[in-house]
């Protein structure tokens, strides 16, 4: 039977640099001790106070269908949070609660792209981006950022790619690069969006993990609230990846259509999960800081380790739970380096190539194991890279 192109073309096909990840997973299931620095999952579980709130809510009976747009409490809590952070007036009707940030990304594109429209995104990118845009029926068009610009996108490049586009997807703090977009970058992006009449889909799921500078939501910039859809999530800020709870914040009209979409797709998010999320968001910033603290610490450890050598370069590690390392001095691409590292030292990292072509010659290291093992793994990566860089050239 024929399947739709929409589903068969969701992923690009090919390995996309994910082979090393699956190989590491196979090694682990075969009993090898692999140091896994691949995906963005905390090494702590959801805090017990949040679980207690979840348990209490479920036992009080919040196990039936919840309101499709989200509970009033959680929508109000998210609205107040966004308003406090951005100064932009935000009410319940600007908020849709979604099963995680991923479904919010899909819904946001579904809301603004018609089949065949072009949706822009920036390379390097979070793995699902092109498939999410294609899944919504649009044509995904990548714009490469460069390590030369510390992966900050340039307005002129976006402008040059904007012909025929209806939306631009950005992510700050950024996965995979760890870069936080500067005010100048965001003002440039906003200017292009206004002039080219683009929707801006702003993925801010790492907004509580900022190590340098500050997170600026483009929704705060002049005339941007009316064309920006902010995607947020409990996954990273509160170590609630498995709870699947996120949101879209945007103009009321868009949210009202998105509620219709939710009625016909997800039918909302479980009430006890939403109550746990409301509890967590109202628990204050100390809990968020506690969850972010290990990454902040490990990032500092990494900066010191990397300072002591000059083979491996560190892309400015300003936010999120990853480091992007430049290993071009070894003469290997990211995929070959990651495979060799796995074979030689049983350390698994993601090749930059898994996130598009702009991060070729880089590897992404997730800071998701305890400090001591993390520092040891990073030192090993540096020594391994230095040995590779210093190996005698083979005569051809
Ligand atoms: N955006 C980015 C940049 C991510 O890294 C992730 C998860 N790794 C998501 C969105 C989706 O997160 P979730 O669906 O768990 O909220």
């Amino acid at each position: 039977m024929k399947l739709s192109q929409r589903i068969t073309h969701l992923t690009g096909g090919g390995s996309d640099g994910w082979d090393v990840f699956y190989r590491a997973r196979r090694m682990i299931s075969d009993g090898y001790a692999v140091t896994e620095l691949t995906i963005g999952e905390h090494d702590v579980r959801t805090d017990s106070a949040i679980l207690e709130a979840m348990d209490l809510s479920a036992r009080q009976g919040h196990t039936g269908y919840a309101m499709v747009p989200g509970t009033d409490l959680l929508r109000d809590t998210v609205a107040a949070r966004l308003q406090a952070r951005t100064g932009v007036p935000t009410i319940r009707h600007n908020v849709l609660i979604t099963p995680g940030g991923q479904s919010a990304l899909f819904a946001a594109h579904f809301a603004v792209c018609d089949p065949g429209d072009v949706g822009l995104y920036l390379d390097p990118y979070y793995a699902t981006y092109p498939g999410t845009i294609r899944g919504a029926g649009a044509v995904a068009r990548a714009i490469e950022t460069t390590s030369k610009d510390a992966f900050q996108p340039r307005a002129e490049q976006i402008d040059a790619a904007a012909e025929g586009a209806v939306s631009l997807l950005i992510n700050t703090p950024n996965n995979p690069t760890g870069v936080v977009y500067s005010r100048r970058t965001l003002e440039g992006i906003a200017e292009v969006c206004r002039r080219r009449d683009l929707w801006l889909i702003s993925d801010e799921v790492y907004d509580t993990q900022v190590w340098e500078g500050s997170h600026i939501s483009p929704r705060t910039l002049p005339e941007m609230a009316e064309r920006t859809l902010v995607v947020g999530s409990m996954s990273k800020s509160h170590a609630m990846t498995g709870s699947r709870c996120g949101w879209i914040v945007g103009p009321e009209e868009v949210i009202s259509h998105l509620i219709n979409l939710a009625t016909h797709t997800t039918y909302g998010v479980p009430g006890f999960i939403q109550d746990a999320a409301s509890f967590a968001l109202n628990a204050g910033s100390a809990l968020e800081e506690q969850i972010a603290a290990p990454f902040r610490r490990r990032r500092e450890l990494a900066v010191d380790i990397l300072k002591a050598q000059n083979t491996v370069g560190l892309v400015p590690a300003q936010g999120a739970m990853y480091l992007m390392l430049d290993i071009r001095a070894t003469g290997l691409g990211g995929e070959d380096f990651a495979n060799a590292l796995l074979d030689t030292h049983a350390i698994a990292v993601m090749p930059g190539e898994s996130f598009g072509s702009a991060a070729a010659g880089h590897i992404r290291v997730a800071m998701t194991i305890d400090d001591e093992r993390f520092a040891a793994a990073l030192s090993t990566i540096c020594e391994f890279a230095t040995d590779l860089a210093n190996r005698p050239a083979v005569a051809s």
Side-chain angles (χ1 to χ4, degrees):
M1 288 295 289
K2 182 186 163 297
L3 291 170
S4 75
Q5 290 201 0
R6 185 175 264 182
I7 196 92
T8 55
H9 290 182
L10 205 59
T11 58
S15 89
D16 292 340
W18 281 75
D19 279 358
V20 60
F21 170 76
Y22 292 113
R23 207 155 68 77
R25 283 288 158 104
R26 269 198 309 278
M27 284 167 73
I28 292 168
S29 64
D30 290 346
Y32 289 96
V34 175
T35 304
E36 250 209 303
L37 304 170
T38 49
I39 57 169
E41 180 94 65
H42 311 67
D43 50 328
V44 294
R45 298 284 75 146
T46 306
D47 193 85
S48 59
I50 300 176
L51 295 181
E52 274 157 31
M54 199 183 287
D55 182 66
L56 182 68
S57 168
R59 285 179 194 287
Q60 283 173 343
H62 294 181
T63 53
Y65 290 124
M67 298 283 284
V68 170
T71 63
D72 289 351
L73 175 61
L74 185 54
R75 292 176 85 195
D76 288 347
T77 302
V78 170
R81 179 180 177 89
L82 270 273
Q83 179 164 320
R85 285 169 165 242
T86 61
V88 180
T90 309
I91 57 170
R92 180 187 301 171
H93 301 290
N94 297 117
V95 180
L96 172 75
I97 305 301
T98 62
Q102 181 55 47
S103 73
L105 287 168
F106 181 84
H109 283 95
F110 206 85
V112 302
C113 297
D114 271 317
D117 281 346
V118 172
L120 301 172
Y121 67 106
L122 298 164
D123 178 351
Y125 51 85
Y126 171 52
T128 66
Y129 279 7
T132 302
I133 296 170
R134 282 195 290 267
V139 176
R141 183 184 291 163
I143 304 166
E144 285 204 12
T145 60
T146 66
S147 60
K148 206 161 48 39
D149 296 330
F151 294 112
Q152 298 267 345
R154 282 171 183 260
E156 333 57 285
Q157 282 174 304
I158 298 171
D159 190 48
E163 204 53 54
V166 298
S167 63
L168 168 66
L169 170 58
I170 65 167
N171 169 222
T172 181
N174 188 269
N175 175 13
T177 64
V179 168
V180 174
Y181 290 175
S182 66
R183 177 169 291 278
R184 187 156 167 259
T185 294
L186 288 165
E187 279 171 352
I189 288 173
E191 193 277 322
V192 177
C193 287
R194 286 188 300 258
R195 189 160 39 77
R196 293 283 194 164
D197 199 19
L198 298 178
W199 284 100
L200 183 60
I201 300 174
S202 180
D203 178 345
E204 304 182 20
V205 303
Y206 292 98
D207 66 349
T208 61
Q209 297 180 359
V210 179
W211 326 128
E212 240 176 52
S214 51
H215 167 67
I216 301 167
S217 171
R219 188 164 178 263
T220 60
L221 299 178
E223 291 162 55
M224 287 308 286
E226 65 221 48
R227 61 174 67 251
T228 302
L229 302 176
V230 174
V231 170
S233 171
M234 298 301 292
S235 288
K236 312 293 175 176
S237 59
H238 291 82
M240 290 179 71
T241 49
S243 288
R244 313 308 303 133
C245 189
W247 54 80
I248 303 179
V249 173
E252 274 189 60
E253 189 198 349
V254 187
I255 298 298
S256 68
H257 287 293
L258 283 169
I259 293 169
N260 288 334
L261 178 66
T263 304
H264 294 86
T265 52
T266 62
Y267 216 81
V269 174
F272 55 93
I273 298 287
Q274 296 194 61
D275 285 346
S278 302
F279 167 85
L281 291 173
N282 287 310
S285 57
L287 181 55
E288 287 162 29
E289 278 158 26
Q290 178 193 316
I291 291 157
F295 307 120
R296 185 187 293 282
R297 265 196 330 264
R298 291 167 199 160
R299 179 247 179 210
E300 274 166 25
L301 285 174
V303 168
D304 285 345
I305 292 167
L306 287 154
K307 239 190 241 154
Q309 54 82 60
N310 47 28
T311 307
V312 178
L314 174 63
V315 171
Q318 299 160 327
M321 49 173 86
Y322 316 97
L323 303 172
M324 183 64 90
L325 303 181
D326 181 346
I327 48 87
R328 285 175 291 183
T330 64
L332 295 185
E335 200 164 350
D336 286 344
F337 183 90
N339 274 308
L341 182 68
L342 185 61
D343 290 335
T344 315
H345 292 290
I347 296 174
V349 297
M350 294 299 294
E353 291 82 353
S354 348
F355 310 102
S357 45
H362 292 68
I363 54 169
R364 190 195 73 172
V365 176
M367 300 188 280
T368 47
I369 58 171
D370 68 76
D371 297 20
E372 207 178 317
R373 287 171 60 230
F374 176 71
L378 209 58
S379 298
T380 305
I381 291 172
C382 290
E383 283 155 25
F384 183 61
T386 305
D387 286 350
L388 284 172
N390 293 337
R391 71 195 185 282
V394 180
S396 55

